[in-house]
Amino acid sequence: IGASVIKLFILIISAQCLCATAQAKDADRSAEYMAEIASIEQFNEVQRASDMPGIPVPTYAEWLKTKAADESFAYATTTTAEDEPNKQDRMRQWLNFGIMTSDDKPSSHQELNLARRERLWAMSAQLLKTHAAEMDQARTWVKQSGFAEYGKTQYGEVMGLIGLQNGLPRYNISYNAGAADTISVDELWPGGSSGLSVTGSNTIMGIWDGGDVLTNHYEFVSGATSRAIDMDGISSLPVDFHPTAVAGTMAAEGVGYASAKGMAYQSELWTYDWYNDLLSEMNSAYANGVRLSNHSYGQQAGWGTITLIDGSTTNCWWGDLSISGTESYLFGRYDAYCTNVDAIAYGNPLSLPVWAAGNERDDSAPASGSQYVTFTNGVAIWNTTSRPHDYAKGGYDTITDRGLAKNVLTIGAVSKIVGGYDGTGTVNMATFSSWGPTDDGRIKPDVVAAGVDIFTPIRHPAYPSNPYYYATVSGTSFSAPSVAGAVGLIVEMRTRLVPQYPYLASTLKGLLIHTADEAASIGPDYKTGWGLANADTAAELVQADSDAGGKQFIKEVTLLDGDFVEFAVKATGGTPLKATICWTDPVGAVQPLQLNPTNIVLVNDLDLRIISPNGSTNFPWILNPANPSNSATKGDNYRDNVEQVVVTNASADEQFIVRITHKGT
């Protein structure tokens, strides 16, 4: 799925917007949907899941007949297929059906989003069919190899088979390892210093996890009704400790213990297990009003475990010896799972997936001579050869799977900060939290939040029906739902202020990035991303923008092919002038099946610049993946779909020009 219409937003702090100008050229959108023609034309031949509504997308032939019968159809119907100009124009009109108006300007947001979603339903339907066949093969493979389809590790993490990719069985695993105080969510609640009194009411959040949430836990139930609703029925994985704890971090009401209160504690939760997350369920949930979802799981890479048929576990090196015997090729690679989640985000531009970065950075190899299972060319083998620890590269390059996708908000973990943030010296990275970069050098994680010693409601394994248990837990599994809940509060604020114009997912993501506190260094880094999430600062910026009449600090702009956007801002002085842009990028190409491929996966390369009064150009932050520990510098960012420019010495009343251009198409 591609796009030449890009939705982006611009944030300006400490600046007064003076004017806005834009120029645009006509956009030929045919190339971006050529890859989808086959799936659209056979759309009605595919048996879809029951929750997929019928989509009236005509075939090209049907569309052409309709246009030929229309007197307003400007093209001669006797034109031969070889008459290339007319052929291209007619094909372009069909491909843009429901996407563009006749003058090549965007349709309404609603029409644009619907058209994107229609094409996504077609893809989802075929993914379901393909995945069913893949799962049959995967179940046969693991059974023959002596492995179980699902189980638990010796550390209590939930494991579940979800497919077979490149000859390897792929298992999801849950990322176990004063959250509100750390990211200043408590300042948004009633009685908080912000005065905003936001609780998450009238907001629906999604959670996908390894099993079912204990929906009747005391923290989710009001009267006879639970705010946590099981949307996909009884899971093959049980009602479990982990999804319940994650759900509690997002939305527990704090009725049993005030310290267990979740971030958006009056929100509604739609709960799912992780099967069919990317295939249909996220599309369905997003289409029905879920504005964000949390995913505290991913696939193992490097050292981990696997469950055998007899229920026991054994060490496993998740890699492929035919690709590399010293490093798991799964770390950092933009694979088919990443493309699927990016496609979902592109097709549902109002909904934001929040993903845990993973807990791989402290994983050690077993003792020398220990037996473990690994893989080569699709065959499981037992081995005793020594291999490096997962942190052999200084802890860098330890993120795997969907946390590497461009359009998700990926969250790392730090220790709690009692009393809230007070400079970089108060931020301590969790020893387990995975670090970037991605193989193509993008910045991941995006931000960090508290993920150590989080007190939350659970489902006790010894007392499965008792709805009154709590526990202290750690892992990026719990930093991610902290941020997801914070995003839920921003969604509620926007709904309260401007209900007819919900923020784009890229705006929500960019808000968290733009307002993050410096966590490890000035500018972004591959450890903490853009810094420690600060929900209070983000919410106050939303309120300030509304108080100023809207679009003064937060702008959502449509950028067509050939377009540029620029506007003037006046610095207030005494604080840096900062601008951030973020856009939902179309799906990139899967990187080659090799170790550390560097192929760039960014599709639409936007460029943010701030022009000083003297004519000098201020460039965005960039990082060097070849030297991941180096501090950020300034230059041309051609990797990320987030860019940020900071002018530290902007004097009061100086006028700057913020300009957004792009390379290519």
Side-chain angles (χ1 to χ4, degrees):
I1 302 175
S4 58
V5 174
I6 307 162
K7 294 296 180 181
L8 66 142
F9 79 94
I10 305 153
L11 297 173
I12 303 295
I13 282 188
S14 304
Q16 178 183 4
C17 181
L18 299 179
C19 61
T21 60
Q23 295 181 353
K25 299 178 181 178
D26 287 345
D28 183 347
R29 296 170 52 86
S30 58
E32 67 193 62
Y33 287 120
M34 289 301 292
E36 293 297 302
I37 292 177
S39 64
I40 295 173
E41 289 190 330
Q42 59 181 299
F43 178 65
N44 292 324
E45 300 175 9
V46 179
Q47 179 64 44
R48 291 170 292 152
S50 60
D51 64 343
M52 292 186 178
I55 303 297
V57 180
T59 66
Y60 174 63
E62 291 169 343
W63 178 87
L64 188 59
K65 289 178 182 178
T66 302
K67 295 299 288 183
D70 186 346
E71 290 183 356
S72 66
F73 186 41
Y75 303 109
T77 56
T78 56
T79 304
T80 64
E82 288 72 26
D83 190 341
E84 197 61 27
N86 279 348
K87 177 183 176 183
Q88 288 184 344
D89 284 344
R90 289 196 302 273
M91 181 66 77
R92 177 173 59 85
Q93 285 197 14
W94 170 69
L95 289 170
N96 296 338
F97 180 82
I99 301 281
M100 304 292 286
T101 58
S102 59
D103 59 356
D104 268 350
K105 293 182 180 178
S107 305
S108 68
H109 286 293
Q110 183 178 2
E111 291 171 328
L112 179 63
N113 295 343
L114 176 61
R116 285 176 168 178
R117 190 171 290 145
E118 288 172 351
R119 286 155 176 77
L120 197 59
W121 283 124
M123 185 183 76
S124 296
Q126 293 178 68
L127 283 174
L128 281 170
K129 187 175 181 180
T130 301
H131 187 249
E134 179 189 338
M135 280 298 294
D136 287 341
Q137 293 180 341
R139 290 186 181 101
T140 299
W141 191 98
V142 298
K143 184 177 181 180
Q144 291 175 345
S145 301
F147 305 133
E149 186 173 336
Y150 55 85
K152 286 196 174 185
T153 72
Q154 64 267 45
Y155 308 110
E157 298 144 318
V158 180
M159 290 182 61
L161 181 71
I162 62 164
L164 193 67
Q165 189 183 60
N166 304 319
L168 270 70
R170 304 306 295 133
Y171 286 82
N172 273 344
I173 186 169
S174 57
Y175 287 146
N176 304 17
D181 208 15
T182 302
I183 61 174
S184 300
V185 162
D186 56 327
E187 305 302 343
L188 305 185
W189 294 339
S193 63
S194 70
L196 296 172
S197 296
V198 191
T199 63
S201 59
N202 302 314
T203 301
I204 303 173
M205 301 189 296
I207 169 178
W208 276 260
D209 214 283
D212 288 336
V213 172
L214 184 64
T215 57
N216 67 335
H217 195 285
Y218 185 49
E219 293 291 352
F220 305 128
V221 176
S222 299
T225 304
S226 176
R227 291 181 296 106
I229 304 169
D230 188 340
M231 299 297 292
D232 60 350
I234 298 174
S235 172
S236 58
L237 299 168
V239 177
D240 196 66
F241 173 107
H242 188 268
T244 305
V246 172
T249 307
M250 296 174 73
E253 193 167 354
V255 291
Y257 295 90
S259 56
K261 182 183 288 188
M263 305 299 121
Y265 62 87
Q266 289 186 344
S267 62
E268 184 174 307
L269 278 182
W270 287 9
T271 74
Y272 304 79
D273 69 22
W274 58 39
Y275 295 113
N276 293 329
D277 54 354
L278 303 183
L279 305 177
S280 65
E281 290 176 349
M282 288 173 68
N283 288 329
S284 178
Y286 289 172
N288 285 283
V290 172
R291 296 295 316 284
L292 64 119
S293 60
N294 185 81
H295 308 261
S296 291
Y297 56 89
Q299 295 175 42
Q300 292 191 89
W303 289 107
T305 60
I306 192 168
T307 304
L308 304 180
I309 287 180
D310 63 7
S312 63
T313 60
T314 187
N315 289 319
C316 180
W317 189 74
W318 294 93
D320 191 322
L321 300 183
S322 66
I323 297 175
S324 173
T326 59
E327 182 182 341
S328 174
Y329 77 95
L330 298 168
F331 285 127
R333 180 172 174 263
Y334 186 82
D335 63 10
Y337 293 103
C338 293
T339 64
N340 286 350
V341 74
D342 274 343
I344 290 169
Y346 180 75
N348 298 278
L350 295 176
S351 300
L352 177 65
V354 179
W355 226 282
N359 306 332
E360 303 289 343
R361 190 166 55 87
D362 61 350
D363 287 351
S364 301
S368 179
S370 299
Q371 191 177 57
Y372 58 90
V373 68
T374 188
F375 311 92
T376 183
N377 289 316
V379 177
I381 59 172
W382 290 91
N383 206 297
T384 57
T385 302
S386 295
R387 305 193 188 285
H389 307 300
D390 288 348
Y391 49 82
K393 295 165 70 173
Y396 294 99
D397 191 19
T398 49
I399 302 177
T400 184
D401 192 38
R402 287 146 285 191
L404 299 164
K406 295 179 289 184
N407 298 326
V408 307
L409 183 64
T410 305
I411 313 300
V414 297
S415 296
K416 287 187 294 185
I417 305 175
V418 178
Y421 176 83
D422 188 24
T424 57
T426 61
V427 182
N428 295 303
M429 196 81 205
T431 58
F432 49 77
S433 187
S434 293
W435 292 348
T438 65
D439 281 347
D440 64 330
R442 287 177 291 115
I443 298 169
K444 290 289 179 177
D446 293 301
V447 294
V448 294
V452 180
D453 295 338
I454 307 301
F455 189 66
T456 186
I458 64 164
R459 183 257 195 189
H460 197 294
Y463 306 99
S465 300
N466 191 315
Y468 300 105
Y469 276 95
Y470 299 76
T472 299
V473 294
S474 297
T476 56
S477 276
F478 307 104
S479 57
S482 295
V483 175
V487 173
L489 298 181
I490 302 299
V491 169
E492 183 195 341
M493 278 196 66
R494 180 64 172 182
T495 302
R496 179 192 300 176
L497 295 169
V498 194
Q500 67 273 33
Y501 293 115
Y503 279 145
L504 294 164
S506 56
T507 305
L508 296 171
K509 177 179 176 179
L511 268 168
L512 269 293
I513 288 172
H514 184 81
T515 57
D517 293 319
E518 297 285 6
S521 59
I522 302 299
D525 58 77
Y526 289 129
K527 298 178 180 180
T528 65
W530 295 91
L532 179 70
N534 189 323
D536 184 27
T537 306
E540 289 184 357
L541 184 58
V542 172
Q543 186 66 53
D545 187 65
S546 176
D547 293 343
K551 299 187 179 181
Q552 294 302 302
F553 303 105
I554 304 169
K555 300 176 181 288
E556 292 183 331
V557 183
T558 297
L559 181 64
L560 294 175
D561 189 16
D563 186 13
F564 70 88
V565 174
E566 67 177 31
F567 54 91
V569 297
K570 184 178 287 186
T572 58
T575 187
L577 171 64
K578 179 166 64 171
T580 306
I581 61 172
C582 180
W583 63 99
T584 299
D585 202 49
V587 175
V590 172
Q591 290 185 307
L593 190 62
Q594 62 188 54
L595 184 65
N596 298 323
T598 57
N599 307 61
I600 300 297
V601 302
L602 188 68
V603 175
N604 293 318
D605 185 0
L606 277 61
D607 293 315
L608 172 65
R609 306 288 187 263
I610 296 182
I611 313 303
S612 295
N614 63 7
S616 61
T617 300
N618 298 276
F619 286 84
W621 294 113
I622 57 173
L623 291 172
N624 182 2
N627 295 287
S629 62
N630 287 5
S631 298
T633 57
K634 303 291 184 69
D636 179 30
N637 188 332
Y638 55 87
R639 305 177 189 275
D640 296 283
N641 56 326
V642 176
E643 294 195 3
Q644 184 180 98
V645 177
V646 178
V647 183
T648 57
N649 57 349
S651 300
D653 295 328
E654 281 191 313
Q655 184 169 298
F656 294 77
I657 299 295
V658 175
R659 181 176 297 153
I660 302 95
T661 58
H662 67 85
K663 302 183 185 74
T665 54

